[in-house]
Structures are given as structure tokens and as C-alpha cells.
Amino acid sequence: MPTIDGHFDPTIQQCIQNCNDAQSSCLRTMEHCLGLGGKHAQGDHIRLFLNCAQICRANADFMLTGSPFYHLTCAACAVLCAQCADSCEAVGPDDAVMLACADTCRRAEATCKELSRDTRQVA
């Protein structure tokens, strides 16, 4: 995955950044939702934040370590990021924090989808 000069392919580098951003956003937004309570703090919604944050972290780690299986974690990450964004938009359609999280997850989803189709060996 790294090039000769030790830098990552720009698409992979962007995906790593998007996944890191989504992980952080999910954890911050989860805290926001727990503070609001009610439908924002329902178990399925909170669990989705945790799952999304975990797969984003794992996916970034797969890419950072040059795993030849990153396209598999990218596929899973794209699915969870889409689900998390959908949930944020449904639960908090007028909440700026929730909509920002949805937007961050959509960016990670897009780059993960693109890389999930990439099956070249990287190790």
C-alpha cells in the first residue's frame, strides 16, 4: 500500500482520514445523545454509534498496517457508516450535532465503498 517514498495512495490516505473523523464524530455524538436522553439514548441507536466507531478504527488500522484485506473491512465500514448516518438523520433531523455526524459518516461511507471494490494485493 505505501508507495516507494513511504506515502499512502491519496485515496487510501483520504479513507483513513475519513474513518478517523467518523470514529471521533460517532463517539462525540453518542455522548451528545446520552445527554439528551429519550429516543436519542435508545440502545439500538447508541450501539450503532459504538459499532460504527469500532469498525472505522479497525478499518483505518487495516489500511495503516498494509493489510491485504482492507477491501473487506472497507465494505463492512461502508455499511455501518451508512446505517449510522441514516439513524442520525432519522433520530435528530433538526439537530446540528447529529447532522454533522451523519455527514461525516457519509464521507467515510463514500471512500470505503470506493476502496471496497479494490482487490489488489497491498502487502
Side-chain angles (χ1 to χ4, degrees), residues 79-116:
V79 170
L80 279 161
C81 283
Q83 290 293 313
C84 192
D86 289 347
S87 185
C88 284
E89 291 165 352
V91 172
D94 299 320
D95 185 317
V97 173
M98 306 260 313
L99 294 177
C101 185
D103 183 59
T104 303
C105 286
R106 296 266 184 234
R107 283 195 306 277
E109 174 194 8
T111 52
C112 286
K113 271 186 183 176
E114 182 178 346
L115 288 175
S116 70

Side-chain angles (χ1 to χ4, degrees), residues 42-72:
Q42 288 181 346
D44 288 347
H45 186 62
I46 297 301
R47 193 170 11 266
L48 196 49
F49 284 126
L50 290 170
N51 292 163
C52 190
Q54 288 172 333
I55 193 63
C56 284
R57 168 75 346 224
N59 191 40
D61 288 349
F62 267 64
M63 289 183 281
L64 286 167
T65 60
S67 172
F69 305 108
Y70 73 93
H71 63 283
L72 299 172

